[in-house]
Amino acid sequence: MTELHLWLRHEVRTTERRTPIVPSDARRLVENGVTLTVEESPQRIFPIEEYEAAGCRVAPAGSWTSAPEDAVITGLKELPDEPARLVHRHLYFGHAYKRQPGAAELLRRFAAGGGRLFDVEYLVDDTGRRLAAFGFWAGYLGAALAVLQHRGRTAAPLTPTTKDELDARLRPAAGDADFTALVIGSLGRSGRGARVAFSVAGVEPTCWDLEETRDLDRRALLDHDVMVNAVLATSPVPPFLREQDLDDPSRRLRTLCDVTCDVGSPLNVLPIYDRTTDWDEPARRLRKEPPLDLIAIDNLPSLLPKESSTDFSAALLPHLLDFGVGGPWGRCLDSFHRACRELGVEGEEFGDV
């Protein structure tokens, strides 16, 4: 492998406080011969001085567009709308392989510039298991917010916190009524995180996974007070909730958190809403009577930016040190090419890693 140059970009989303590479792991990369350029970012949970101390180069926010073409531009969430031609290799969560809104436009930008997308969601081992993910913290925060909303203790706008502070708010207080909760996708990373949060809140949730959703009992689903969806479907399945279910006058369900936020995808298992919620409006009322509140925030782990970044960076680090043509990165690149073909995206000849 030629010398690797990673370029850690500033995130354009104002509520994105996480980073895929924390300063302690940045030091490990530098010590192993990786060149690491870090853009200044006022919102990143770790200050730029910690990266400088780790031996990283520093660049202005947004300067990745003029980075050397061999640099691997590394981030987490969406790119800005410009430039129209993406010439670099990019490593981040692209959300472009399941025909999501804007997917074709994004892939055309890569095709136009000859760049490539290494979507971290598709960085998997040979069994298909993801190698670096924020799933646990997404599930934990999804369930935590559902509990706080159901107990009338949501404070908007949401602000980043620590796990200790959040746990203190989650623990049951005098006067809190008992309620029933359901976690769908309970055996995955997000599902496990949701179960931990419910445990802190003093709630023992019903846990469903593949076996229970194969022949879904919607009546049983609707008979829970709170539901957390942690299922990321990879093939078509019947929806867990439909519009007519929300209008059922006997529905007990009052608070729903969709951790997956697969809005706009044909694989969405909750096609009952068309836009996510956010830190300013964490919950939106879908029905007035009986009431039903929806939480669907697509960067939940950013509310615990230090803990979630540290875990993710630790998982990603060994694969960055082994960045190359084969193995997980090769599978990642194959997913990109396959998505381009499926969307009919044409462009310059793509090279390898």
Side-chain angles (χ1 to χ4, degrees):
M1 183 185 74
T2 58
E3 181 179 332
L4 177 62
H5 184 181
L6 296 174
W7 189 288
L8 183 59
R9 62 176 169 86
H10 160 75
E11 299 287 336
V12 294
R13 188 184 297 207
T14 57
T15 58
E16 190 50 73
R17 309 296 175 85
R18 295 171 294 172
T19 177
I21 304 173
V22 302
S24 58
D25 291 333
R27 183 180 297 277
R28 290 271 307 277
L29 289 165
V30 171
E31 289 173 349
N32 279 271
V34 175
T35 298
L36 180 52
T37 299
V38 180
E39 291 186 359
E40 297 169 322
S41 176
Q43 64 209 42
R44 190 186 294 125
I45 187 62
F46 296 96
I48 194 67
E49 290 80 11
E50 293 189 23
Y51 289 96
E52 285 187 288
C56 301
R57 302 176 181 179
V58 175
S63 58
W64 62 266
T65 55
S66 57
E69 287 196 13
D70 65 346
V72 180
I73 312 303
T74 306
L76 286 176
K77 302 297 283 187
E78 66 271 8
L79 296 173
D81 293 336
E82 296 293 334
R85 300 174 69 255
L86 296 171
V87 301
H88 295 95
R89 294 168 291 176
H90 282 258
L91 194 164
Y92 74 107
F93 291 96
H95 301 304
Y97 295 171
K98 293 189 293 182
R99 299 184 182 274
Q100 295 100 323
E105 290 80 1
L106 175 65
L107 294 180
R108 286 192 187 100
R109 292 170 66 190
F110 279 103
R116 281 140 290 166
L117 169 61
F118 292 86
D119 193 318
V120 188
E121 186 178 333
Y122 294 82
L123 183 68
V124 298
D125 65 16
D126 54 11
T127 70
R129 180 174 174 77
R130 288 170 61 176
L131 296 171
F134 286 98
F136 176 88
W137 293 109
Y140 176 89
L141 279 152
L145 291 179
V147 169
L148 295 175
Q149 177 69 19
H150 198 74
R151 288 176 173 167
R153 295 208 287 267
T154 303
L158 301 176
T159 56
T161 186
T162 66
K163 185 176 183 297
D164 288 345
E165 291 172 345
L166 184 54
D167 283 354
R169 296 177 59 205
L170 273 181
R171 293 188 183 98
D176 283 341
D178 292 337
F179 64 86
T180 58
L182 169 66
V183 177
I184 304 186
S186 60
L187 298 182
R189 288 186 178 102
S190 294
R192 290 198 303 271
R195 286 156 48 198
V196 169
F198 277 126
S199 178
V200 173
V203 177
E204 183 63 39
T206 302
C207 296
W208 289 0
D209 210 87
L210 286 175
E211 189 63 33
E212 293 80 8
T213 55
R214 213 170 262 124
D215 186 16
L216 188 73
D217 185 345
R218 286 200 182 86
R219 183 68 264 163
L221 185 157
L222 294 171
D223 283 340
H224 289 83
D225 298 302
V226 175
M227 172 184 148
V228 173
N229 173 53
V231 173
L232 181 65
T234 55
S235 58
V237 297
F240 296 161
L241 282 173
R242 307 158 301 180
E243 289 290 335
Q244 59 263 42
D245 299 318
L246 306 193
D247 295 325
D248 185 339
S250 66
R251 167 177 50 80
R252 184 172 169 178
L253 185 66
R254 297 292 184 268
T255 307
L256 167 65
C257 180
D258 186 12
V259 172
T260 305
C261 293
D262 216 5
V263 180
S265 166
L267 302 183
N268 185 10
V269 297
L270 292 176
I272 54 171
Y273 68 100
D274 58 5
R275 60 186 174 90
T276 57
T277 62
D278 54 35
W279 291 20
D280 290 327
E281 184 195 11
R284 184 167 71 251
R285 184 142 292 187
L286 295 182
R287 291 293 187 275
K288 292 183 178 180
E289 192 59 39
L292 176 61
D293 292 332
L294 167 75
I295 299 168
I297 299 172
D298 65 0
N299 67 334
L300 282 167
S302 192
L303 290 163
L304 287 178
K306 185 165 287 189
E307 292 91 339
S308 62
S309 295
T310 299
D311 284 357
F312 182 86
S313 179
L316 184 62
L317 175 66
H319 304 291
L320 292 177
L321 290 170
D322 196 31
F323 189 83
V325 175
W329 296 111
R331 287 188 286 270
C332 211
L333 193 60
D334 288 343
S335 296
F336 167 68
H337 288 309
R338 183 165 53 251
C340 288
R341 289 193 300 270
E342 290 174 355
L343 285 171
V345 172
E346 303 293 339
E348 298 178 19
E349 183 68 25
F350 296 110
D352 58 18
V353 178

